[in-house]
Amino acid sequence: MKKLNEKVSTAALSAIRNRRGHRPISANRDGGDTVIASYNVHKCVGVDRKFDPERVAEVISEIDADVIAIQEADKRFGCRSGLLDLATLERVSGLVPVPIASLSSTGHGWHGNMLMFRKGTVLNVRQLKLPGVEPRGALVVNIDFPTGKLRVVAAHFGLLKRSRELQAKHVLASVAQEEEMPTILIGDLNEWRIGRRSSLSPLSPVFDPTSGAVPSFPSRFPVLALDRVLGHPHDLVAAVEVHDSPLAKVASDHLPIKAHIDLKAIWERSYRQPGPRVLEAV
């Protein structure tokens, strides 16, 4: 009976993973020289209601990403202190936080958003205050890797659709003002809809909102693609997967998502030539 239930669950998850509007497994391709991930750690409280930062650190180590965007890294109210053990994270994964001006002297993130990296050089960091009913923010970080420069926008969008629409437009307008380079928008974007009804539709055509849609929530039986990774150019992302280890299914109510990107190939194809460029659709 247990094996039968496992087969049914696997078949159901496969059907969910491949339903219309989501990124099918067949869209993934081999390759990729850099791994970018995103993880809403749910303030380090697992589905078993246990507060366990060490468990979260172990999941982050399992992901083995070069860069990871973390949401809900701080307490939301009061002193907004950081919840992760940064020393443990560096020891088990080699990741260190991108330096930012936190909302609290003991905080780790910007409105709970933290970006960690283990290779490359951080060129500059911008902290965006996003519009909407709730206090929300995003980090815009340019990183110079041996394979080329990459802009990472790490965000946590709001719960209300209208707020998410405004936040998507704000991120797009902000990025358009900067130097053109391969760009990843990643994080918990709190949107499960696909197509015209999606609050992420304002991101088109610069980003393709469906390209990084893989179910990641809730962690026990993921059916909603709340966590996204979107690339510009669209073929920057070679593959997207959900990290669904046994520990990840318990450590948070979200599963981490993981993207393999072809930074070197995209940079050599589209960005080798000197001179200014503007962000444009592909």
Side-chain angles (χ1 to χ4, degrees), residues 4-17:
L4 178 61
N5 289 338
E6 288 177 350
K7 286 183 179 179
V8 171
S9 295
T10 301
L13 286 174
S14 179
I16 291 166
R17 175 69 169 79

Side-chain angles (χ1 to χ4, degrees), residues 8-34:
V8 171
S9 295
T10 301
L13 286 174
S14 179
I16 291 166
R17 175 69 169 79
N18 290 287
R19 68 190 187 274
R20 184 179 180 184
H22 291 67
R23 183 187 181 103
I25 295 174
S26 60
N28 289 340
R29 63 182 191 274
D30 294 334
D33 49 59
T34 307

Side-chain angles (χ1 to χ4, degrees), residues 116-187:
M116 305 191 76
F117 73 111
R118 65 178 179 185
K119 72 177 184 180
T121 302
V122 174
L123 300 176
N124 64 284
V125 180
R126 287 198 300 126
Q127 299 173 212
L128 304 182
K129 183 177 180 181
L130 299 179
V133 176
E134 311 159 82
R136 296 282 177 169
L139 296 173
V140 182
V141 182
N142 294 351
I143 304 175
D144 191 8
F145 292 101
T147 48
K149 289 189 289 185
L150 176 72
R151 176 177 297 113
V152 180
V153 183
H156 190 184
F157 284 3
L159 297 175
L160 301 179
K161 182 180 180 183
R162 179 55 179 162
S163 292
R164 293 194 298 272
E165 289 172 343
L166 293 173
Q167 290 156 5
K169 292 176 181 177
H170 188 83
V171 165
L172 204 59
S174 177
V175 170
Q177 297 173 6
E178 295 199 356
E179 173 192 356
E180 165 71 350
M181 68 178 68
T183 301
I184 289 288
L185 170 58
I186 193 165

Side-chain angles (χ1 to χ4, degrees), residues 159-236:
L159 297 175
L160 301 179
K161 182 180 180 183
R162 179 55 179 162
S163 292
R164 293 194 298 272
E165 289 172 343
L166 293 173
Q167 290 156 5
K169 292 176 181 177
H170 188 83
V171 165
L172 204 59
S174 177
V175 170
Q177 297 173 6
E178 295 199 356
E179 173 192 356
E180 165 71 350
M181 68 178 68
T183 301
I184 289 288
L185 170 58
I186 193 165
D188 178 2
L189 304 188
N190 261 320
E191 179 57 270
W192 61 94
R193 301 177 186 88
I194 304 295
R196 292 183 179 180
R197 295 179 62 240
S198 170
S199 61
L200 304 181
S201 57
L203 294 171
S204 300
V206 174
F207 296 101
D208 177 7
T210 66
S211 64
V214 294
S216 59
F217 180 89
S219 57
R220 292 281 199 187
F221 195 85
V223 295
L224 302 178
L226 300 187
D227 306 279
R228 305 284 184 97
V229 52
L230 311 176
H232 176 86
H234 293 176
D235 59 348
L236 173 62

Side-chain angles (χ1 to χ4, degrees), residues 15 31 39 49 64 96 104 127 162 170 176 179 191 210 231 248 266 277:
Y39 190 17
R49 300 185 181 180
D64 196 29
V96 295
S104 164
Q127 299 173 212
R162 179 55 179 162
H170 188 83
E179 173 192 356
E191 179 57 270
T210 66
I266 295 298
R277 291 168 54 90

